[in-house]
């Protein structure tokens, strides 16, 4: 009999909310949508008085009868909400990761990781013109090559269209997560296509900037010195190329883009031929 009495005192805590409270000490609390009546003198276990809509800790015995009602500190509620949000984010992240692994595969995800690390973490290019600076690929996408000085010294400001299209190219690698069409696999070719196009445009811009600088000098020296200005522009272009050096970020971005493109083409062939 004594063991049974001890078992009846075992309680489990649940969160509830006070729905009503009377000055007489009678009130009701809702737990999981079920209302339970409580009495302050019998059930209340806090130094502050009950308040309507207050979150409380409600405990029941193993028979389901209400035993105690206690106020929950605001700080504790905040901690519980943060823990709940962290758990939700963790669960959502695990769900997305599982979907990504299923749709893309570990090898593609690893290549994407290398691409992102190469673009955002490691230096892609070193520039020694007016000053010695180094840039990541992401920073390079934010630079202007309209003039040599801005290309060498500009730290990049704001969000550029090149950076937008680069992010779009990365997102294109995940197209198979949204579509099962065979052509969606070719989205993995987007980073390599972007690198080729951007590098070509950058080369043209740098060459144009050097030519403009040479023409400006030729204009100062007069029309008779046009050939000299052209030779000077050619020498300046050579100095520009000598002043550029590629870092590990460049090779990581290029290698990862090539690998992703190979995976994309291979997957497309398997889906269309098979």
């Amino acid at each position: 009999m004594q063991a049974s009495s001890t078992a009846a005192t075992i309680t489990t805590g649940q969160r509830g909310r006070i729905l009503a409270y009377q000055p007489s000490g009678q009130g009701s609390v809702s737990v999981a949508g079920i209302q339970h009546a409580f009495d302050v003198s019998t059930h209340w276990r806090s130094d502050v008085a009950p308040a309507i809509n207050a979150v409380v800790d409600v405990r029941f015995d193993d028979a389901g009868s209400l035993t105690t009602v206690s106020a929950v500190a605001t700080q504790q509620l905040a901690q519980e909400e943060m823990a709940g949000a962290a758990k939700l984010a963790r669960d959502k992240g695990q769900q997305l990761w599982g979907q990504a692994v299923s749709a893309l595969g570990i090898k593609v995800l690893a290549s994407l990781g290398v691409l992102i690390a190469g673009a955002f973490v490691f230096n892609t290019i070193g520039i020694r013109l007016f000053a010695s600076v180094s840039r990541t690929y992401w920073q390079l996408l934010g630079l202007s090559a309209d003039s040599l000085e801005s290309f060498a010294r500009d730290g990049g400001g704001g969000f550029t269209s090149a950076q937008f299209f680069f992010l779009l190219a990365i997102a294109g690698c995940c197209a198979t997560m949204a579509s099962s069409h065979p052509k969606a696999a070719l989205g993995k070719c987007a980073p390599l296509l972007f690198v080729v196009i951007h590098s070509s445009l950058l080369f043209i811009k740098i060459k144009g900037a050097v030519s403009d600088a040479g023409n400006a000098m030729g204009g100062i020296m007069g029309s008779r010195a046009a050939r000299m200005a052209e030779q000077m522009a050619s020498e300046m272009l050579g100095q520009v190329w000598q002043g550029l050096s590629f870092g590990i970020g460049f090779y990581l971005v290029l290698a990862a883009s090539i690998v992703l493109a190979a995976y994309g083409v291979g997957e497309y062939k398997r889906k269309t031929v098979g």
Side-chain angles (χ1 to χ4, degrees):
M1 295 298 293
Q2 188 175 356
S4 176
S5 176
T6 302
T9 63
I10 297 176
T11 59
T12 56
Q14 299 182 47
R15 286 291 179 262
R17 187 177 296 274
I18 295 178
L19 298 180
Y21 175 68
Q22 303 296 329
S24 61
Q26 303 296 319
S28 64
V29 60
S30 175
V31 180
I34 302 176
Q35 296 185 26
H36 302 270
F38 72 91
D39 183 85
V40 169
S41 61
T42 304
H43 306 107
W44 191 248
R45 295 294 184 272
S46 296
D47 295 334
V48 296
I52 296 177
N53 289 327
V55 177
V56 292
D57 179 78
V58 183
R59 295 184 176 273
F60 302 88
D61 59 24
D62 56 354
S65 300
L66 187 146
T67 57
T68 63
V69 181
S70 307
V72 180
T74 303
Q75 182 178 1
Q76 184 177 349
L77 284 176
Q79 292 176 348
E80 291 177 356
E81 290 177 357
M82 290 178 61
K87 183 179 183 302
L88 181 63
R90 184 171 60 254
D91 293 342
K92 188 64 177 178
Q94 292 175 349
Q95 180 183 1
L96 291 175
W97 173 254
Q99 293 175 351
V101 171
S102 176
L104 302 177
I106 292 295
K107 293 182 179 179
V108 171
L109 290 174
S111 300
L112 273 174
V114 172
L115 174 65
I116 293 172
F120 290 90
V121 179
F122 298 98
N123 287 330
T124 294
I125 192 169
I127 308 168
R128 296 186 303 275
L129 294 176
F130 301 92
S132 180
V133 294
S134 58
R135 310 290 187 197
T136 64
Y137 190 71
W138 179 255
Q139 291 172 331
L140 182 64
L141 296 178
L143 297 181
S144 171
D146 294 333
S147 68
L148 291 178
E149 185 174 2
S150 64
F151 181 73
R153 294 180 177 175
D154 188 12
F159 185 72
T160 65
S161 58
Q163 290 173 332
F164 169 76
F165 284 112
F166 178 65
L167 294 179
L168 198 62
I170 294 177
C173 295
C174 304
T176 50
M177 293 183 64
S179 173
S180 58
H181 195 280
K183 290 184 178 179
L186 296 178
K188 298 179 181 65
C189 301
L192 181 60
L193 182 63
F194 174 86
V195 169
V196 171
I197 293 176
H198 177 261
S199 300
S200 301
L201 293 176
L202 189 61
F203 172 81
I204 294 173
K205 280 190 173 184
I206 293 176
K207 188 175 181 180
V210 172
S211 179
D212 291 342
N215 292 335
M217 288 186 177
I220 296 175
M221 298 171 63
S223 58
R224 295 181 179 179
R227 183 176 297 179
M228 185 181 297
E230 183 179 351
Q231 182 179 358
M232 187 177 299
S234 178
E235 292 177 356
M236 289 177 60
L237 184 60
Q239 291 177 358
V240 169
W241 298 137
Q242 290 178 2
L244 299 180
S245 61
F246 297 107
I248 187 174
F250 169 79
Y251 299 105
L252 290 177
V253 169
L254 182 60
S257 299
I258 293 174
V259 170
L260 285 169
Y263 280 136
V265 172
E267 182 179 348
Y268 173 75
K269 290 182 177 179
R270 288 195 302 272
K271 288 183 176 180
T272 52
V273 176

